[in-house]
Amino acid sequence: MSTDVLFVNGDLVLSDRVQSATHLLIGGARIVAIGPDGDHPSAHHAQSPSVGGAHVIDARDHYIVPGYVDLHVHGGAGADFMDGTAEAFYTIRAAHARHGTTSLLPTSTAARPEQILAMLTECSRQRLADDGRGARVLGAHLYGPYFRAEARGCHPGDGVRPPVVQEYEKYLELAAAIATASVAPELPGAEAFARACVARGIRMNAGHSHATFEQAEQAIGWGVRHVDHLFCAMSDRARLRQSQPFPMRGGLLEATLYFDELTTEVIADGRHLAPELLRLAYKVKGPDRLALVTDANRALDMPDGPYMFGPRDGGEPILRRDDVGLMPDGQALASGVQGMDHLVRTFIKATGCPLWEVVRMASLTSARIAGWDHELGSIAVGKRADLLLLDRALNVRQVFLGGQRFAALP
């Protein structure tokens, strides 16, 4: 294939509408031109393999959408980022690219310090690599170990702990490779950790927390601007009432919905959240403050059965069953096993939102939360040519990474 690629007859999914019968020209790794097909001489030569030096792709009856950006992803195809090896990273990146994710934040788990350091080190090696191996690594999501023990979810209990300067300073030596970090705001040392991260340009999240509304508000003052997986592993009025019957208090859930300063995310796999919760999140936060995330573990694209969440040595046993991750007793959720393409289809079905808004929540909104919306997340001249070709059922048919077709699709 030549360096330049010309899509014709496609329906472009822009950030605010679908623009039909449109051509899009890629030059190298960038989008260089967009316009109505009638304005481009190649529109009448869609069956030609190349016109004017550009390889022509007839996108008739397909949508052209920006590549998806996943802020919260642990693994796939049998591998977990906490395996800490180049091979594990390559496996996961390829698996998620097949589902339309072209950029991601490798997400850690609660683990021993040396395991977290190994994961961050490999993330540093692969960050922003244009190696054609799959979704591009934007930087790590340092997710754990600084969680509330009672809200750890499927994270290994032995690894959950409050932030301690002597430990997290070792992680922050790799700050250039860390895009975001999470903490439970109510923990001792949480404020110092959050401020240390923000001072190094790391974006701060709250998550796996039983914080009160007041504690969440204080965390905003430290620089916290995002909340991990809305409705999951977080305090709310009912949970806080167990420790103080009255007056009833708001928790992290209510604070997330209330404060405009806070963006958040949902695991829209059809298993974590019922349709009414997706509709509520969308109504309150809107498509510019709500992102879709997979939270996928190593069981993505794998058969049902037992798996390990996090590192193989010391991780937490989980199951893949009924299209979701579960704890071994089958009574509690344990992250996701679906790709972003499935989430887009599920959110549209559950909410009736227009296609362009749901794609925005899977691309531009996520890119903005990660600090990459200048480069990624929408179809615009000058932006990186991370693009997907979707059929009318929103299945991924072709993936382009920096203008190059990803060769590992089924």
Side-chain angles (χ1 to χ4, degrees), residues 100-227:
T101 295
T102 56
S103 297
L104 51 72
L105 303 187
T107 303
S108 63
T109 66
R112 298 193 303 270
E114 66 270 19
Q115 293 172 319
I116 295 173
L117 283 169
M119 181 270 195
L120 294 177
T121 299
E122 187 57 40
C123 191
S124 179
R125 293 188 184 114
Q126 297 197 26
R127 180 176 178 269
L128 304 184
D130 277 321
D131 52 14
R133 289 181 176 268
R136 195 166 65 140
V137 173
L138 299 181
H141 179 177
L142 180 56
Y143 183 68
Y146 306 134
F147 295 150
R148 176 75 170 254
E150 298 90 336
R152 68 181 176 91
C154 64
H155 285 256
D158 291 344
V160 173
R161 51 194 179 270
V164 175
V165 175
Q166 293 86 342
E167 179 185 331
Y168 66 69
E169 283 292 344
K170 295 178 183 178
Y171 306 148
L172 298 186
E173 290 176 5
L174 295 166
I178 303 173
T180 59
S182 294
V183 69
E186 71 274 23
L187 294 180
E191 179 178 357
F193 173 64
R195 291 188 183 279
C197 288
V198 171
R200 291 164 172 82
I202 298 170
R203 294 172 179 243
M204 278 307 302
N205 300 1
H208 286 266
S209 165
H210 284 178
T212 64
F213 188 100
E214 182 181 13
Q215 288 169 327
E217 185 173 15
Q218 291 171 347
I220 293 172
W222 314 336
V224 169
R225 290 294 181 270
H226 185 75
V227 177

